[in-house]
Coordinates of all heavy atoms in Angstrom, one line a residue:
V118 N 38.8 46.1 5.1 CA 40.3 46.2 5.1 C 40.8 44.9 4.4 O 40.5 43.8 4.9 CB 40.8 46.3 6.5 CG1 42.3 46.2 6.5 CG2 40.3 47.5 7.2
P119 N 41.5 45.1 3.3 CA 42.1 43.9 2.7 C 43.2 43.3 3.5 O 43.9 44.0 4.3 CB 42.7 44.5 1.4 CG 42.7 46.0 1.5 CD 41.8 46.3 2.7
F120 N 43.3 42.0 3.5 CA 44.3 41.3 4.2 C 44.7 40.0 3.5 O 44.1 39.6 2.6 CB 43.9 41.0 5.6 CG 42.8 39.9 5.7 CD1 43.2 38.6 5.9 CD2 41.5 40.1 5.5 CE1 42.3 37.5 5.9 CE2 40.6 39.1 5.5 CZ 41.0 37.8 5.7
G121 N 45.9 39.5 3.9 CA 46.3 38.2 3.4 C 46.8 37.4 4.5 O 47.0 37.9 5.6
H122 N 46.9 36.1 4.3 CA 47.4 35.3 5.4 C 48.4 34.2 4.8 O 48.4 33.9 3.7 CB 46.2 34.6 6.1 CG 45.6 33.5 5.3 ND1 44.6 33.8 4.3 CD2 45.7 32.2 5.2 CE1 44.2 32.7 3.7 NE2 44.9 31.7 4.3
R123 N 49.2 33.8 5.7 CA 50.2 32.7 5.4 C 50.3 31.8 6.6 O 50.2 32.2 7.7 CB 51.6 33.3 5.2 CG 51.6 34.4 4.1 CD 52.8 34.1 3.2 NE 53.1 35.2 2.2 CZ 52.3 35.6 1.3 NH1 51.1 35.2 1.2 NH2 52.7 36.5 0.4
I124 N 50.5 30.5 6.3 CA 50.8 29.5 7.3 C 52.2 29.2 7.1 O 52.6 28.8 6.0 CB 49.9 28.3 7.2 CG1 48.4 28.7 7.4 CG2 50.3 27.2 8.2 CD1 47.4 27.6 7.1
V125 N 53.0 29.3 8.1 CA 54.5 29.2 8.0 C 54.9 27.9 8.7 O 54.5 27.7 9.9 CB 55.2 30.4 8.5 CG1 56.7 30.3 8.5 CG2 54.7 31.7 7.8
F126 N 55.7 27.1 8.1 CA 56.3 25.9 8.7 C 57.8 26.0 8.7 O 58.4 26.6 7.9 CB 55.8 24.7 7.8 CG 54.4 24.5 7.8 CD1 53.6 25.0 6.7 CD2 53.7 23.8 8.8 CE1 52.3 24.8 6.6 CE2 52.4 23.6 8.7 CZ 51.6 24.1 7.6
G127 N 58.4 25.3 9.7 CA 59.8 25.3 9.7 C 60.3 24.6 11.0 O 59.5 24.4 11.9
D128 N 61.5 24.2 11.0 CA 62.0 23.5 12.2 C 62.1 24.5 13.4 O 61.9 24.2 14.5 CB 63.4 23.0 12.0 CG 63.4 21.8 11.0 OD1 62.4 21.1 11.0 OD2 64.4 21.6 10.3
D129 N 62.4 25.8 13.1 CA 62.4 26.8 14.1 C 61.3 27.8 13.7 O 61.5 28.6 12.7 CB 63.8 27.6 14.1 CG 63.9 28.6 15.2 OD1 62.8 29.2 15.6 OD2 65.0 28.8 15.7
V130 N 60.2 27.7 14.4 CA 59.0 28.5 14.0 C 59.3 30.0 14.0 O 58.9 30.7 13.1 CB 57.8 28.1 14.9 CG1 56.6 29.0 14.6 CG2 57.5 26.7 14.8
V131 N 60.0 30.5 15.0 CA 60.2 31.9 15.2 C 61.0 32.4 14.0 O 60.7 33.4 13.3 CB 60.9 32.2 16.5 CG1 61.4 33.7 16.5 CG2 60.0 31.9 17.7
D132 N 62.1 31.7 13.6 CA 62.9 32.0 12.5 C 62.1 32.0 11.2 O 62.3 32.9 10.3 CB 64.2 31.1 12.4 CG 65.2 31.5 13.4 OD1 65.2 32.6 14.0 OD2 66.1 30.7 13.6
A133 N 61.3 31.0 11.0 CA 60.4 30.9 9.8 C 59.5 32.1 9.7 O 59.3 32.6 8.6 CB 59.7 29.6 9.8
I134 N 58.9 32.5 10.8 CA 57.9 33.6 10.8 C 58.7 34.9 10.4 O 58.3 35.7 9.6 CB 57.2 33.7 12.1 CG1 56.2 32.6 12.3 CG2 56.4 35.1 12.2 CD1 55.6 32.5 13.7
L135 N 59.8 35.1 11.1 CA 60.6 36.3 10.9 C 61.2 36.4 9.4 O 61.2 37.4 8.8 CB 61.7 36.4 11.9 CG 61.3 36.6 13.3 CD1 62.4 36.6 14.3 CD2 60.5 37.9 13.5
A136 N 61.5 35.2 8.9 CA 62.0 35.2 7.5 C 60.9 35.5 6.5 O 61.1 36.3 5.6 CB 62.5 33.8 7.2
E137 N 59.7 35.1 6.8 CA 58.5 35.4 6.0 C 58.2 36.9 6.1 O 57.8 37.5 5.1 CB 57.3 34.5 6.4 CG 56.1 34.7 5.5 CD 56.3 34.1 4.1 OE1 57.3 33.3 3.9 OE2 55.5 34.3 3.2
V138 N 58.3 37.4 7.3 CA 58.1 38.9 7.4 C 59.1 39.6 6.6 O 58.7 40.6 5.9 CB 58.2 39.3 8.9 CG1 58.3 40.8 9.1 CG2 57.0 38.7 9.7
G139 N 60.3 39.2 6.6 CA 61.4 39.9 5.9 C 61.2 39.7 4.4 O 61.5 40.6 3.6
R140 N 60.6 38.6 3.9 CA 60.4 38.4 2.5 C 59.2 39.1 2.0 O 59.2 39.6 0.9 CB 60.2 36.9 2.3 CG 60.2 36.4 0.8 CD 60.0 34.9 0.7 NE 58.7 34.5 1.0 CZ 57.6 34.6 0.2 NH1 57.8 35.2 -0.9 NH2 56.5 34.1 0.6
T141 N 58.1 39.2 2.8 CA 56.8 39.7 2.3 C 56.5 41.2 2.7 O 55.6 41.8 2.2 CB 55.6 38.8 2.7 OG1 55.6 38.8 4.2 CG2 55.8 37.4 2.2
H142 N 57.2 41.7 3.7 CA 57.1 43.0 4.2 C 55.6 43.4 4.6 O 55.0 44.4 4.0 CB 57.6 44.1 3.2 CG 59.0 43.8 2.8 ND1 60.1 44.0 3.6 CD2 59.5 43.2 1.6 CE1 61.2 43.6 3.0 NE2 60.9 43.2 1.8
P143 N 55.0 42.6 5.5 CA 53.6 42.9 5.8 C 53.6 44.2 6.7 O 54.6 44.6 7.3 CB 53.2 41.7 6.7 CG 54.5 41.3 7.3 CD 55.5 41.5 6.3
S144 N 52.4 44.8 6.8 CA 52.2 45.9 7.7 C 52.1 45.5 9.2 O 52.3 46.3 10.1 CB 51.0 46.8 7.3 OG 49.9 46.0 7.3
M145 N 51.7 44.3 9.4 CA 51.6 43.7 10.8 C 51.5 42.2 10.7 O 51.3 41.6 9.7 CB 50.4 44.3 11.5 CG 49.1 43.8 11.0 SD 47.7 44.4 12.0 CE 47.9 43.4 13.5
V146 N 51.7 41.6 11.9 CA 51.6 40.1 12.0 C 50.6 39.9 13.1 O 50.5 40.6 14.1 CB 53.0 39.5 12.4 CG1 52.8 38.0 12.8 CG2 54.0 39.7 11.3
A147 N 49.7 38.9 12.9 CA 48.7 38.5 14.0 C 49.0 37.1 14.4 O 49.3 36.2 13.6 CB 47.3 38.6 13.4
M148 N 49.1 36.9 15.7 CA 49.4 35.5 16.3 C 48.5 35.3 17.4 O 48.0 36.2 18.1 CB 50.8 35.5 16.7 CG 51.9 35.6 15.6 SD 53.5 35.5 16.3 CE 53.6 33.8 16.6
A149 N 48.3 34.0 17.7 CA 47.5 33.6 18.9 C 48.5 33.1 20.0 O 49.5 32.5 19.6 CB 46.5 32.5 18.6
M150 N 48.2 33.2 21.2 CA 49.0 32.8 22.3 C 48.2 32.0 23.3 O 47.1 32.5 23.7 CB 49.6 34.0 23.0 CG 50.6 33.8 24.1 SD 51.3 35.4 24.5 CE 52.1 34.9 26.0
H151 N 48.6 30.9 23.8 CA 47.9 30.1 24.8 C 48.1 30.8 26.1 O 49.1 31.4 26.4 CB 48.5 28.7 24.9 CG 48.4 27.9 23.7 ND1 47.2 27.3 23.4 CD2 49.2 27.6 22.7 CE1 47.4 26.6 22.3 NE2 48.6 26.8 21.8
H152 N 47.0 30.7 26.9 CA 47.1 31.3 28.3 C 48.0 30.5 29.2 O 47.9 29.3 29.3 CB 45.7 31.4 28.9 CG 45.6 32.0 30.2 ND1 45.9 33.3 30.4 CD2 45.5 31.5 31.4 CE1 45.8 33.6 31.7 NE2 45.6 32.5 32.3
R153 N 49.0 31.2 29.7 CA 49.9 30.5 30.7 C 50.1 31.5 31.8 O 49.9 32.7 31.7 CB 51.3 30.3 30.0 CG 51.2 29.3 28.9 CD 52.6 29.0 28.5 NE 52.6 28.0 27.4 CZ 53.6 27.7 26.7 NH1 54.8 28.3 26.9 NH2 53.5 26.8 25.8
S154 N 50.4 30.9 33.0 CA 50.7 31.7 34.1 C 52.0 32.5 33.9 O 52.8 32.1 33.1 CB 50.8 30.9 35.4 OG 52.0 30.2 35.4
P155 N 52.2 33.6 34.6 CA 53.4 34.4 34.5 C 54.7 33.5 34.8 O 55.7 33.7 34.1 CB 53.3 35.5 35.5 CG 51.8 35.7 35.7 CD 51.2 34.3 35.5
I156 N 54.6 32.6 35.7 CA 55.7 31.7 36.1 C 56.0 30.8 34.9 O 57.2 30.6 34.6 CB 55.4 31.0 37.4 CG1 55.4 32.0 38.5 CG2 56.5 29.9 37.6 CD1 55.0 31.4 39.9
E157 N 55.0 30.2 34.3 CA 55.2 29.4 33.1 C 55.9 30.1 32.0 O 56.8 29.6 31.3 CB 53.9 28.8 32.6 CG 53.3 27.7 33.5 CD 51.9 27.3 33.1 OE1 51.1 28.1 32.7 OE2 51.7 26.1 33.1
R158 N 55.4 31.4 31.8 CA 56.0 32.2 30.7 C 57.5 32.5 31.0 O 58.3 32.4 30.1 CB 55.2 33.5 30.5 CG 53.9 33.3 29.7 CD 53.3 34.6 29.3 NE 53.0 35.5 30.3 CZ 51.9 35.6 30.9 NH1 50.9 34.8 30.6 NH2 51.7 36.5 31.9
L159 N 57.8 32.8 32.2 CA 59.2 33.1 32.6 C 60.1 31.8 32.4 O 61.2 31.9 31.9 CB 59.3 33.5 34.0 CG 58.9 35.0 34.3 CD1 58.9 35.3 35.8 CD2 59.9 35.9 33.6
R160 N 59.5 30.7 32.8 CA 60.3 29.4 32.8 C 60.4 28.9 31.4 O 61.5 28.5 31.0 CB 59.6 28.4 33.7 CG 60.4 27.1 33.8 CD 59.6 26.1 34.7 NE 58.5 25.6 33.9 CZ 57.3 25.4 34.5 NH1 57.1 25.6 35.7 NH2 56.2 25.1 33.7
E161 N 59.4 28.9 30.6 CA 59.4 28.3 29.3 C 59.5 29.3 28.2 O 59.9 28.9 27.1 CB 58.1 27.5 29.1 CG 57.9 26.4 30.1 CD 56.5 25.8 30.1 OE1 55.8 26.0 29.0 OE2 56.1 25.2 31.0
G162 N 59.2 30.5 28.4 CA 59.1 31.5 27.3 C 58.0 31.1 26.3 O 57.3 30.2 26.5
T163 N 57.8 31.9 25.3 CA 56.8 31.6 24.3 C 57.4 32.0 22.9 O 58.1 33.0 22.8 CB 55.5 32.4 24.5 OG1 55.7 33.8 24.3 CG2 55.0 32.1 25.9
M164 N 57.0 31.3 21.9 CA 57.4 31.6 20.5 C 56.8 32.9 20.2 O 57.4 33.7 19.5 CB 56.9 30.5 19.6 CG 57.7 29.2 19.7 SD 57.3 28.0 18.5 CE 55.7 27.5 19.2
T165 N 55.5 33.2 20.6 CA 54.9 34.4 20.2 C 55.7 35.6 20.8 O 55.9 36.6 20.0 CB 53.4 34.5 20.8 OG1 52.7 33.3 20.3 CG2 52.7 35.7 20.5
M166 N 56.1 35.6 22.0 CA 56.8 36.7 22.6 C 58.2 36.8 21.9 O 58.7 38.0 21.8 CB 57.0 36.5 24.1 CG 55.6 36.7 24.8 SD 54.7 38.1 24.3 CE 55.8 39.5 24.9
D167 N 58.8 35.7 21.5 CA 60.1 35.8 20.7 C 59.9 36.6 19.4 O 60.7 37.4 19.0 CB 60.6 34.4 20.4 CG 61.2 33.8 21.7 OD1 61.4 34.4 22.7 OD2 61.4 32.5 21.6
V168 N 58.7 36.3 18.8 CA 58.4 37.1 17.5 C 58.1 38.5 17.8 O 58.6 39.4 17.1 CB 57.2 36.4 16.8 CG1 56.7 37.3 15.6 CG2 57.5 35.0 16.3
V169 N 57.4 38.8 18.9 CA 57.1 40.2 19.3 C 58.4 41.0 19.5 O 58.6 42.1 19.0 CB 56.2 40.3 20.6 CG1 56.2 41.7 21.1 CG2 54.8 39.7 20.3
R170 N 59.4 40.4 20.2 CA 60.6 41.0 20.5 C 61.5 41.3 19.2 O 62.2 42.3 19.1 CB 61.4 40.2 21.5 CG 60.9 40.4 22.9 CD 61.8 39.8 23.9 NE 61.7 38.4 24.0 CZ 60.8 37.7 24.7 NH1 59.9 38.3 25.4 NH2 60.8 36.4 24.7
A171 N 61.5 40.3 18.3 CA 62.4 40.4 17.2 C 61.8 41.0 15.9 O 62.5 41.4 15.0 CB 62.9 39.0 16.8
S172 N 60.4 41.1 15.8 CA 59.8 41.6 14.6 C 60.0 43.1 14.4 O 60.1 43.9 15.3 CB 58.3 41.3 14.7 OG 57.7 41.8 13.5
R173 N 60.2 43.4 13.1 CA 60.3 44.8 12.7 C 59.0 45.5 12.4 O 59.0 46.6 12.0 CB 61.3 44.9 11.5 CG 62.7 44.5 11.8 CD 63.6 44.6 10.7 NE 64.9 44.3 11.1 CZ 66.0 44.3 10.3 NH1 65.8 44.6 9.0 NH2 67.1 43.9 10.7
V174 N 57.9 44.7 12.5 CA 56.6 45.2 12.2 C 55.8 44.9 13.5 O 56.1 44.0 14.3 CB 55.9 44.6 11.0 CG1 56.7 44.9 9.7 CG2 55.7 43.1 11.1
P175 N 54.7 45.7 13.7 CA 53.8 45.4 14.8 C 53.3 44.0 14.8 O 53.0 43.4 13.8 CB 52.7 46.4 14.7 CG 53.2 47.5 13.8 CD 54.2 46.8 12.9
V176 N 53.1 43.4 16.0 CA 52.5 42.0 16.2 C 51.3 42.1 17.0 O 51.4 42.6 18.2 CB 53.6 41.1 16.8 CG1 52.9 39.7 16.9 CG2 54.8 41.0 15.9
L177 N 50.1 41.7 16.5 CA 48.9 41.7 17.2 C 48.8 40.3 17.9 O 48.9 39.3 17.2 CB 47.7 41.9 16.3 CG 46.3 41.7 16.9 CD1 46.0 42.8 18.0 CD2 45.3 41.7 15.8
V178 N 48.7 40.3 19.2 CA 48.6 39.0 19.9 C 47.2 38.8 20.5 O 46.7 39.6 21.2 CB 49.7 38.9 21.0 CG1 49.6 37.6 21.8 CG2 51.1 39.1 20.5
A179 N 46.6 37.7 20.1 CA 45.3 37.3 20.6 C 45.5 36.2 21.6 O 46.1 35.2 21.3 CB 44.4 36.9 19.5
L180 N 44.9 36.4 22.8 CA 45.0 35.3 23.8 C 44.0 34.3 23.6 O 42.8 34.6 23.6 CB 44.9 36.0 25.2 CG 45.1 35.1 26.4 CD1 46.5 34.5 26.4 CD2 44.8 35.8 27.7
R181 N 44.4 33.0 23.4 CA 43.5 31.9 23.3 C 43.1 31.5 24.7 O 43.9 31.3 25.6 CB 44.2 30.7 22.6 CG 44.3 30.8 21.2 CD 44.8 29.6 20.6 NE 44.0 28.4 20.9 CZ 44.2 27.2 20.5 NH1 45.3 26.9 19.8 NH2 43.4 26.2 20.8
D182 N 41.8 31.3 24.8 CA 41.2 30.9 26.1 C 40.9 29.4 26.0 O 39.9 29.0 25.5 CB 40.0 31.7 26.5 CG 39.5 31.4 27.9 OD1 40.3 30.9 28.7 OD2 38.3 31.7 28.1
D183 N 41.8 28.5 26.4 CA 41.7 27.1 26.3 C 40.8 26.5 27.4 O 41.0 26.4 28.4 CB 43.0 26.4 26.2 CG 43.8 26.7 24.9 OD1 43.2 27.1 23.9 OD2 45.0 26.7 25.0

């Protein structure tokens, strides 16, 4: 399966990723997420989940086991 990758930088990471998605029109986005407890996720939120909620394409989330 052919694929491409991009490393995106910006002051607001979520906005930078979503802008790149809008510019390049990928079929999906893949991201890694640090393991956090449900309480930590509720309290702090995550950039990954912000992208999942706002993306117009599917987002594959891999859980990092730190």
